[in-house]
Amino acid sequence: MPLPTPQPNVRVVTLRIDDRDLSAREDETLIEVCRENRIPIPSLCHLDGLSVWGGCRLCMVEIAGQGRLVAACSTRVAEGMTVQTDTERLRHYRRTIVELLFAERNHVCSVCVSNGHCELQSLAQRCGVDHVRLPYRQAPYPVDSSHEMFRLDHNRCILCTRCVRVCDEIEGAHTWDVMGRGSDCRVITDMARPWGESETCTSCGKCVQVCPTGALVKQGTSAGEMVKDQHFLPILARRRHAR
Amino acid sequence: MHLEDLAEQAAQYRNEDAHIEREVRVCVAASCQSSGSLPVLEALKSACDTQGAGSCKVKGVGCMGLCSAGPLVAVADKDCALNESVLYRDVTPDDAPDIMASVCSTPVERLRCPTDQPFFSRQQRIVLEHSGLIDPDSLRGYIAVGGYAALVRALTEMTPADVLREVTTSGLRGRGGGGYPTGLKWSTIAKMPPGQKYVVCNADEGDPGAFMDRAVLESDPHRVLEGMAIAAYAVGASKGYVYVRAEYPLAVERLETAIRKAKRAGFLGAKVADTQFAFEVEIRLGAGAFVCGEETALMASIEGLRGQPRPRPPYPAESGLWGCPTLINNVETFANIAPIIREGGDWFAAIGTEGSKGTKVFALAGKIKNTGLIEVPMGTSLRDIIEVIGGGIPDGRAFKAVQTGGPSGGCIPEAHLDIPVDYDSLKTLGTIMGSGGLIVMDETSCMVDVARFFMEFCMSESCGKCIPCRAGTWQMHALLDTLTKGRGTRADLALLEDLCDVVRATSLCGLGQTAPNPVLSTLRYFRDEYEAKLLGDA
Ligand SMILES: Cc1cc2nc3c(=O)[nH]c(=O)nc-3n(C[C@H](O)[C@H](O)[C@H](O)COP(=O)(O)O)c2cc1C
Ligand code: SF4
Ligand code: SF4
Ligand code: SF4
Ligand code: FES
């Protein structure tokens, strides 16, 4: 993957992540440096090429000398920073966050078309979530199948807003948004009209490809079939950026 | 405009009222209005006309503090403070003739509310110095008591650096909850490269039980505008916003009037007080979402976006409204500025405690005799506030706990009542000063219920952006609900404590980070109440 050419005034700093000395451009975020150096940081809302959201809180890391944890996706590197990405405490928090997500809506993987190709599912496996300690919320959510090519199942949505951001920032349609607050939040198309009646959607499918779960899928796929392809995103984002 | 011109103007206004010897002041702030003070004002005005008391003036004024006894009417010699006046409580329009007749003779005993009680005598009013004395809608009234002199003085006799020095010397800390040093915040914005900068007054006030900021805006709106203008001069801003919740229509109305009049008189606008300094103020209405008091969400809301926090840094001081450096302070913080400039930072720093200077306005609510608004020096003990000023617990019941800091705070039991109220002492007890809401609870309160109440608030006010807050508060509320109903197990309690830790450590903004506090503090002091409700371990 080609990296953007460094800006003339950007300095390079050195920092220590998980006991490794690394160098980074000072305008980079911790998650970018970690990914470059193959240090795994779990994340669900972050996607290279989209704006920073900071909502899933899975990327949190410990910084020496700082009481608070910080989100790696929204924290810039600094000279001399010492970072731990995989402590016992962080593993416990990440595990709990994944459990909170599972208990919030319906994530019964065995009947999901994304089974086997889902970022939430594989994250749960990585975090060792083999059961959920929390009671399931069991709120019934609707499914919107009105679009001729795609389907939205709110029960599988984790509100990462990747769809909102890709449609707005890359496709330029701004079909998606979020309505409500707290646990009543849900993604909507246009002014909460059925997706099939949307006047802004170009049916480009970008939202479906970036959705980490089985919330956005192609119509007609059956369990285990829905493979997502996100390689277009950084390429498109960089081309636009270069222009 | 020179300071002398303004002083002359003030003298002239006072002169025009020289024939008035006595004033009948009717509280027209929201609480007294809701108990019917406007008809009382009308009745008093017409009684004044018919009974022909030419040397007496009936006027509407701001909050006098003892809201539970409203409508309040004070009769006093002009320029006399509240505690030197004859105060009447629970006044009805029918009482108007009696009150007017008493102006120059003996007071109406059946309506009297003693002003020599500690509720009045133990207060020290700086923020509220004009509250209950001047007509909030009158610019003349504000100028007559020395209003805008601090602004004119800052603009004509001080450099921005001088102003910053006074504010820093004063030791004033933000009254919106965090307690961040105001001088330091101002200096940071002043140091940002010149260009577009903004000043924002946070009047969102979403904490349940809090109405300090509302009272200040309803009682003395020019005071807040003056503080904002001085701030703008100090940091180099030319535009300001007051973000008020739409549920405060009276505050909004008074603020609008104040802005209009201040602009016409040249205290806002292109050439403030005939100097080169320009400052415009606009009101922005919030829809009343608690999270919109959080500064990054507030800014998003002003920009017309969904009121949702974003990660900090960058802080507003560096990148705020539309990416420009932005100063955000609370209403009460701004209301402290004019007296600091008038009397000097050292004067202010001499009041209060080592780490918390000045006074603090508190809203007393709950199981307490005198509910209402008070202002006391920092360092006053909680016991003084509750037992002496607040008059103690009614109905012969025993005190149990006091909740400070709203949904971000915690409960303090009897054993710690002698603690001085300041930012740092409260923190050692696992709670915070917050914006100044004090909710008193007596022996009948169940502390698990209290924790559930605050968790319900946070759950329904969560913006939903980040998962620990959105789903975590829901789970914690469900657990607390189970516990209050006596259906919880020891494992539920352990899970609740675990979630407190996760939500506090991982939430994106202050709402989620502090949502567990009421649970943690009740667990700390009243764990036995949680245990007593557990199902047997059988
Ligand atoms: C959820 C949340 C709600 C808040 N609500 C208010 C509020 O209603 N009024 C306020 O002044 N500050 C509120 N704050 C604090 C502000 O974000 C900010 O710190 C404050 O306005 C700064 O002003 P100060 O330095 O004068 O205190 C809130 C913070 C959080 C996290
Ligand atoms: S298909 Fe394309 S245009 Fe339609 S909602 Fe998805 S991203 Fe937006
Ligand atoms: S539909 Fe998919 S991409 Fe959109 S918010 Fe939900 S989980 Fe994220
Ligand atoms: S902590 Fe709560 S209010 Fe704050 S961003 Fe997260 S969900 Fe929104
Ligand atoms: S990836 Fe950082 S919060 Fe989601």
Side-chain angles (χ1 to χ4, degrees):
Chain A
M1 261 192 306
L3 285 168
T5 40
Q7 303 292 309
N9 283 326
V10 173
R11 281 193 303 264
V12 170
V13 299
T14 55
L15 71 166
R16 217 172 151 76
I17 304 182
D18 290 348
D19 306 319
R20 280 170 64 190
D21 287 315
L22 303 167
S23 60
R25 286 197 332 270
E26 67 171 357
D27 62 351
E28 281 184 292
T29 57
L30 282 173
I31 207 167
E32 288 170 324
V33 180
C34 288
R35 300 254 149 108
E36 271 163 43
N37 291 285
R38 303 201 180 286
I39 299 169
I41 300 270
S43 71
L44 281 173
C45 70
H46 183 80
L47 211 48
D48 193 12
L50 296 183
S51 59
V52 172
W53 181 244
C56 76
R57 315 310 284 164
L58 286 158
C59 67
M60 295 199 98
V61 297
E62 287 175 25
I63 295 186
Q66 215 169 306
R68 275 235 148 99
L69 305 179
V70 302
C73 65
S74 58
T75 304
R76 289 204 188 285
V77 297
E79 180 64 44
M81 210 177 220
T82 306
V83 184
Q84 292 291 327
T85 72
D86 196 28
T87 63
E88 192 49 53
R89 180 172 176 223
L90 291 171
R91 277 197 292 268
H92 174 69
Y93 288 164
R94 285 177 190 145
R95 200 197 133 98
T96 313
I97 288 174
V98 173
E99 287 181 72
L100 281 167
L101 279 173
F102 269 89
E104 188 177 36
R105 297 203 177 175
N106 179 338
H107 294 286
V108 181
C109 301
S110 56
V111 292
C112 179
V113 293
S114 288
N115 189 9
H117 309 285
C118 169
E119 292 182 42
L120 178 64
Q121 187 184 40
S122 52
L123 194 72
Q125 282 159 357
R126 264 172 61 198
C127 295
V129 178
D130 44 16
H131 68 287
V132 175
R133 291 170 297 161
L134 306 160
Y136 270 68
R137 204 172 128 233
Q138 306 287 15
Y141 282 93
V143 175
D144 180 354
S145 314
S146 59
H147 195 285
E148 58 177 335
M149 294 160 72
F150 312 122
R151 188 170 70 228
L152 161 67
D153 183 352
H154 286 288
N155 295 289
R156 314 255 180 221
C157 173
I158 57 166
L159 293 166
C160 65
T161 72
R162 284 187 188 184
C163 56
V164 180
R165 285 173 288 151
V166 81
C167 184
D168 177 34
E169 296 164 15
I170 305 294
E171 177 62 7
H174 201 140
T175 301
W176 293 101
D177 220 318
V178 180
M179 77 170 225
R181 62 185 185 200
S183 43
D184 291 332
C185 277
R186 64 186 175 94
V187 288
I188 51 169
T189 39
D190 285 359
M191 304 298 275
R193 282 162 54 189
W195 194 0
E197 291 168 25
S198 165
E199 284 166 8
T200 55
C201 175
T202 63
S203 301
C204 70
K206 292 191 177 71
C207 54
V208 176
Q209 296 307 324
V210 299
C211 177
T213 70
L216 289 177
V217 294
K218 274 198 215 116
Q219 296 272 23
T221 39
S222 54
E225 273 189 348
M226 186 62 220
V227 186
K228 299 200 174 177
D229 174 10
Q230 293 165 4
H231 82 280
F232 70 94
L233 187 57
I235 297 171
L236 268 183
R238 281 205 183 96
R239 278 204 199 129
R240 299 244 168 116
H241 198 69
R243 244 196 284 158
Chain B
M1 183 185 286
H2 291 292
L3 210 47
E4 298 82 54
D5 304 337
L6 187 65
E8 206 169 285
Q9 207 173 348
Q12 187 199 326
Y13 290 158
R14 281 199 296 271
N15 243 338
E16 286 168 18
D17 284 344
H19 63 286
I20 295 170
E21 283 162 15
R22 309 216 73 196
E23 286 182 339
V24 177
R25 305 174 189 142
V26 184
C27 173
V28 290
S31 346
C32 276
Q33 274 204 20
S34 68
S35 48
S37 70
L38 286 185
V40 171
L41 178 65
E42 286 315 309
L44 281 166
K45 277 190 171 155
S46 59
C48 182
D49 292 343
T50 53
Q51 289 170 283
S55 62
C56 172
K57 181 179 180 180
V58 177
K59 68 176 186 184
V61 296
C63 182
M64 303 190 209
L66 198 55
C67 304
S68 54
L72 291 168
V73 175
V75 178
D77 284 349
K78 197 170 54 181
D79 302 330
C80 264
L82 182 59
N83 54 2
E84 297 157 9
S85 67
V86 175
L87 189 65
Y88 297 122
R89 56 179 296 163
D90 301 307
V91 179
T92 65
D94 298 339
D95 299 321
D98 286 356
I99 291 178
M100 282 317 296
S102 81
V103 165
C104 298
S105 60
T106 47
V108 193
E109 280 312 321
R110 66 185 166 88
L111 296 172
R112 270 195 87 167
C113 176
T115 49
D116 55 358
Q117 55 175 314
F119 183 86
F120 297 101
S121 58
R122 291 291 297 274
Q123 291 194 43
Q124 180 176 2
R125 299 184 128 206
I126 295 176
V127 171
L128 301 175
E129 62 182 342
H130 302 140
S131 184
L133 300 182
I134 66 167
D135 176 354
D137 279 334
S138 165
L139 175 61
R140 294 182 46 189
Y142 185 65
I143 291 176
V145 293
Y148 287 114
L151 173 62
V152 174
R153 169 129 177 259
L155 293 181
T156 55
E157 296 178 0
M158 297 167 83
T159 63
D162 293 335
V163 176
L164 291 174
R165 206 170 308 116
E166 288 306 327
V167 174
T168 307
T169 307
S170 76
L172 174 67
R173 292 169 70 172
R175 302 297 195 234
Y180 191 79
T182 305
L184 187 58
K185 198 189 266 187
W186 288 24
S187 312
T188 312
I189 294 144
K191 285 222 160 70
M192 295 296 293
Q196 182 72 56
K197 295 178 187 178
Y198 297 96
V199 168
V200 176
C201 174
N202 188 344
D204 194 53
E205 191 156 71
D207 311 36
F211 51 93
M212 297 77 52
D213 296 346
R214 189 190 75 196
V216 170
L217 289 173
E218 287 173 354
S219 306
D220 201 2
H222 285 286
R223 180 60 169 282
V224 180
L225 296 176
E226 186 175 0
M228 287 177 74
I230 294 170
Y233 173 67
V235 305
S238 57
K239 173 101 206 185
Y241 293 95
V242 187
Y243 187 86
V244 202
R245 52 174 44 220
E247 285 101 323
Y248 283 0
L250 189 60
V252 172
E253 196 187 303
R254 299 231 165 111
L255 205 50
E256 274 168 356
T257 307
I259 291 174
R260 202 180 59 241
K261 290 189 176 177
K263 208 166 161 175
R264 199 175 308 148
F267 296 114
L268 292 176
K271 289 190 156 211
V272 176
D274 305 325
T275 66
Q276 290 310 307
F277 171 64
F279 186 56
E280 300 280 351
V281 175
E282 266 183 59
I283 297 177
R284 281 285 184 274
L285 292 187
F290 179 56
V291 74
C292 286
E294 197 279 338
E295 49 196 24
T296 60
L298 183 147
M299 295 189 309
S301 180
I302 290 182
E303 290 179 17
L305 306 170
R306 191 176 150 89
Q308 207 163 237
R310 58 157 176 78
R312 303 174 307 170
Y315 288 90
E318 189 189 325
S319 173
L321 283 173
W322 297 284
C324 302
T326 302
L327 169 73
I328 302 186
N329 274 136
N330 169 259
V331 173
E332 195 183 326
T333 312
F334 281 124
N336 270 302
I337 298 303
I340 287 174
I341 298 300
R342 184 182 70 213
E343 313 279 345
D346 289 323
W347 163 81
F348 191 85
I351 305 164
T353 65
E354 186 57 38
S356 306
K357 309 294 190 191
T359 58
K360 179 79 193 82
V361 180
F362 289 103
L364 295 181
K367 302 288 172 54
I368 187 158
K369 223 164 121 217
N370 304 328
T371 60
L373 208 64
I374 59 161
E375 181 173 354
V376 292
M378 294 275 190
T380 308
S381 79
L382 272 174
R383 193 180 296 283
D384 264 4
I385 293 178
I386 293 164
E387 293 177 2
V388 182
I389 300 173
I393 318 294
D395 308 324
R397 297 230 168 84
F399 170 89
K400 183 163 194 182
V402 55
Q403 211 277 350
T404 76
S408 318
C411 295
I412 300 170
E414 165 86 36
H416 295 288
L417 271 194
D418 290 308
I419 193 145
V421 172
D422 62 47
Y423 290 101
D424 309 311
S425 308
L426 289 179
K427 259 191 210 144
T428 63
L429 294 183
T431 182
I432 57 164
M433 173 90 79
S435 57
L438 283 180
I439 303 174
V440 179
M441 287 166 280
D442 69 14
E443 57 194 335
T444 60
S445 307
C446 164
M447 301 315 280
V448 191
D449 268 347
V450 171
R452 183 186 57 171
F453 168 81
F454 283 107
M455 195 51 72
E456 182 164 5
F457 180 84
C458 290
M459 173 183 76
S460 45
E461 292 293 332
S462 164
C463 80
K465 177 173 179 174
C466 73
I467 291 142
C469 171
R470 183 181 76 225
T473 54
W474 188 91
Q475 291 284 356
M476 286 197 281
H477 176 260
L479 284 166
L480 286 162
D481 200 50
T482 314
L483 287 168
T484 50
K485 293 190 174 126
R487 296 197 200 122
T489 61
R490 199 155 289 281
D492 289 332
L493 191 55
L495 188 56
L496 178 66
E497 291 191 83
D498 185 24
L499 284 176
C500 283
D501 175 33
V502 176
V503 172
R504 183 172 58 173
T506 61
S507 287
L508 168 60
C509 87
L511 195 159
Q513 287 160 7
T514 60
N517 286 357
V519 183
L520 290 168
S521 87
T522 46
L523 273 169
R524 177 166 169 185
Y525 297 116
F526 302 95
R527 198 181 181 92
D528 52 325
E529 290 193 25
Y530 283 84
E531 306 257 348
K533 286 193 174 275
L534 294 182
L535 281 178
D537 283 325

